[in-house]
């Protein structure tokens, strides 16, 4: 990992749900002690509205986020790459740490269904921060 602060990239297909929640939790809980990116192999036009609402319920506003295309450069500049169902579309580069988080896709789900995925992502992000030695913001 980098000498300054760890860098994490969250990747899913559309960058409209799981990876957006992962990045939002990492930024919210890790603050400026971690560098956060998210991207998708086939980005959607907008972030899933049910995901935006589920995050808003817990005080995390991602309404201004937009899905971004996954690039090799984003992978190269990240210490940890967390894949969330992007399959073979995620580039695998040597020297990077990869974690594959199998999570339900929030696409087509209502807010009630998204909450379960949201809560699981938060739990995993908290574990990741502990693993990276990054103190969770109060």
């Amino acid at each position: 990992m980098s000498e300054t602060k760890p860098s994490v990239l969250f990747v899913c297909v559309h960058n409209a749900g799981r990876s957006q929640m992962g990045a939002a939790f990492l930024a919210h809980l890790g603050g400026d002690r971690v560098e956060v990116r998210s991207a998708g192999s086939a980005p959607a036009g907008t972030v899933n509205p049910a995901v935006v609402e589920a995050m808003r319920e817990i005080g995390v506003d991602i309404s201004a986020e937009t899905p971004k295309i996954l690039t090799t450069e984003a992978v190269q500049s990240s210490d940890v790459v967390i894949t969330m169902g992007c399959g073979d579309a995620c580039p695998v580069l040597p020297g990077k740490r990869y974690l594959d988080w199998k999570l339900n896709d929030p696409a087509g789900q209502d807010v009630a269904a998204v909450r379960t995925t949201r809560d699981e992502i938060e739990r995993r992000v908290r574990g990741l921060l502990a693993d990276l030695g990054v103190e969770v913001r109060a």
Side-chain angles (χ1 to χ4, degrees), residues 10-13 18-19 22 82-86 99-101 103 121:
F10 291 90
V11 183
C12 67
V13 175
R18 294 167 289 189
S19 56
I82 299 175
T83 59
M84 302 167 144
C86 68
L99 300 172
D100 185 32
W101 290 358
L103 299 157
I121 290 171

Side-chain angles (χ1 to χ4, degrees), residues 66-114:
T66 56
K68 295 166 271 318
I69 186 75
L70 176 63
T71 64
T72 301
E73 293 77 23
V75 176
Q76 287 172 332
S77 58
S78 300
D79 299 311
V80 181
V81 179
I82 299 175
T83 59
M84 302 167 144
C86 68
D88 294 336
C90 296
V92 176
L93 301 176
K96 301 295 171 187
R97 178 176 170 202
Y98 289 86
L99 300 172
D100 185 32
W101 290 358
K102 296 188 183 338
L103 299 157
N104 292 331
D105 188 347
Q109 304 284 334
D110 63 13
V111 175
V114 172

